[in-house]
Amino acid sequence: MDANYGGKIFMPPSALDEISQLEVVYPLLFKLQNDEEESSSGTKLRTHCGVLEFTAEEGRVYLPQWMMDTLRLSPGSAVEVINVALLHGSLVKLQPQSVDFLDISDHRAVLENALRRFSALTVGDMITIEYNNHEYKLNVLETQPSPSAINIVETDLSVDFAPPIGYVEPTAQSGPGSQASNSSSMANINQPTSSMAKDIRQKEDAAKGEAASLRFQAFRGAGVRLSSGADKPSSVRSYASSTADNNEKQSQDISPDDETPVPLDLPIGTLFFGYKLIPPPGSEPTDANDANEEDKFQVMRCPTPK
């Protein structure tokens, strides 16, 4: 179910009636807190969420499984729900919990689609997203401008990645060219140095290049210049002959049962009327010379005006 891979909960209709009588900030955001459990730092376990529907049974709320795990709740446990207002986020830093996350070809598109199901992100959350029938767990390490939780509804959010759990950085090779590589690295000191981030960017660039190669491009053929120079007849004849050869090859490749329409490519100076030319009765050539003339000029004749 999609609701299990998001950051929104189901609440009872009575909660909507009570909220409508209060002065609250929209979109509706809530803090979920477990008063019976504490984190390693001594604070109560908490997270933040939005609301998906007010269709739950009275006295109950339904949470995604990752929220239950974060708050250490079991079915039927008590949880405190408090309406809050959070700052719009500008940055979030995530850490994948498996190197399988690097197998995704376009991380940006996957995260944009997955984070639409979330209204807020809290530091310490272990959120779960689903892609291609596979679950990926992401730990929220840092949020800005608020250091604890942010609102991600209708905001431009930058996403940074920490190396996944189990990821091993490639070892640098030392050799004669190490001094030259050091000088070149000083020029790119402002660029990200994480090999994992570079791998992600390379896969995204490769996916964009493949999509661009499959995109339709018009007028990819070569043009022929019809000028008044001496090479005009030869260039026209060469183009016409090459076009005729291509048409002959295409006609050989297409089977009679193939109903797929094909473009009609004719040599320059050729007319096609959709049927074979059959001369009218009585116009047969009388001798060999007339037959040659008829073979040369098989075009549509127009009556001469009187």
Side-chain angles (χ1 to χ4, degrees):
M1 185 177 181
D2 291 341
N4 205 33
Y5 300 107
K8 300 179 181 180
I9 65 175
F10 291 85
M11 300 181 68
S14 59
L16 178 60
D17 296 337
E18 184 176 351
I19 291 173
S20 61
Q21 300 175 7
L22 303 175
E23 295 183 0
V24 296
V25 179
Y26 291 89
L28 293 175
L29 298 177
F30 299 93
K31 179 174 73 171
L32 304 180
Q33 184 170 287
N34 185 359
D35 295 332
E36 298 179 358
E37 294 287 343
E38 294 183 354
S39 62
S40 57
S41 59
T43 59
K44 295 181 179 180
L45 295 177
R46 84 285 181 273
T47 187
H48 296 81
C49 66
V51 58
L52 186 62
E53 292 179 359
F54 291 93
T55 57
E57 300 176 5
E58 291 298 330
R60 295 178 179 270
V61 291
Y62 297 102
L63 315 179
Q65 184 60 43
W66 70 265
M67 282 189 187
M68 301 279 290
D69 298 337
T70 299
L71 298 176
R72 300 176 189 172
L73 294 173
S74 57
S77 300
V79 61
E80 186 177 4
V81 183
I82 306 172
N83 178 245
V84 295
L86 299 176
L87 296 177
H88 284 84
S90 59
L91 175 79
V92 61
K93 187 173 184 180
L94 305 174
Q95 183 184 33
Q97 299 301 293
S98 173
V99 293
D100 295 339
F101 187 75
L102 299 177
D103 296 335
I104 300 177
S105 59
D106 193 348
H107 298 81
R108 179 179 302 178
V110 172
L111 282 178
E112 285 180 356
N113 184 49
L115 293 181
R116 289 193 184 102
R117 304 187 181 101
F118 291 79
S119 298
L121 293 176
T122 308
V123 174
D125 281 352
M126 187 71 70
I127 65 175
T128 303
I129 65 174
E130 189 269 342
Y131 173 69
N132 201 15
N133 297 325
H134 194 286
E135 292 185 356
Y136 299 93
K137 293 184 179 295
L138 304 174
N139 187 16
V140 181
L141 299 181
E142 180 184 351
T143 58
Q144 293 182 6
S146 175
S148 58
I150 55 174
N151 175 7
I152 64 171
V153 178
E154 296 182 358
T155 183
D156 293 330
L157 185 66
S158 299
V159 180
D160 192 13
F161 291 98
I165 301 297
Y167 178 76
V168 179
E169 292 280 351
T171 57
Q173 297 181 356
S174 60
S178 60
Q179 184 175 359
S181 62
N182 291 336
S183 61
S184 63
S185 62
M186 293 299 293
N188 300 327
I189 193 170
N190 293 327
Q191 301 293 331
T193 57
S194 173
S195 299
M196 192 273 296
K198 291 180 181 178
D199 293 342
I200 292 177
R201 289 186 177 88
Q202 289 176 358
K203 291 183 178 180
E204 290 180 354
D205 294 341
K208 291 179 181 178
E210 183 179 356
S213 63
L214 298 177
R215 191 179 305 165
F216 172 75
Q217 297 180 2
F219 306 108
R220 291 183 294 181
V224 178
R225 180 179 179 181
L226 302 179
S227 61
S228 59
D231 59 342
K232 174 181 176 181
S234 60
S235 62
V236 173
R237 284 196 299 270
S238 62
Y239 176 77
S241 60
S242 62
T243 307
D245 294 340
N246 292 335
N247 292 338
E248 184 178 356
K249 291 180 180 178
Q250 291 179 0
S251 62
Q252 293 175 359
D253 294 339
I254 299 176
S255 61
D257 297 333
D258 193 358
E259 298 181 358
T260 304
V262 296
L264 182 62
D265 256 341
L266 295 177
I268 297 177
T270 303
L271 300 178
F272 178 71
F273 297 96
Y275 53 86
K276 184 178 180 181
L277 178 62
I278 301 177
S283 62
E284 288 79 4
T286 56
D287 53 13
N289 294 333
D290 293 340
N292 293 335
E293 292 297 328
E294 289 292 331
D295 293 338
K296 292 181 181 178
F297 303 97
Q298 293 185 359
V299 298
M300 183 176 65
R301 294 185 175 87
C302 299
T304 304
K306 297 181 180 180

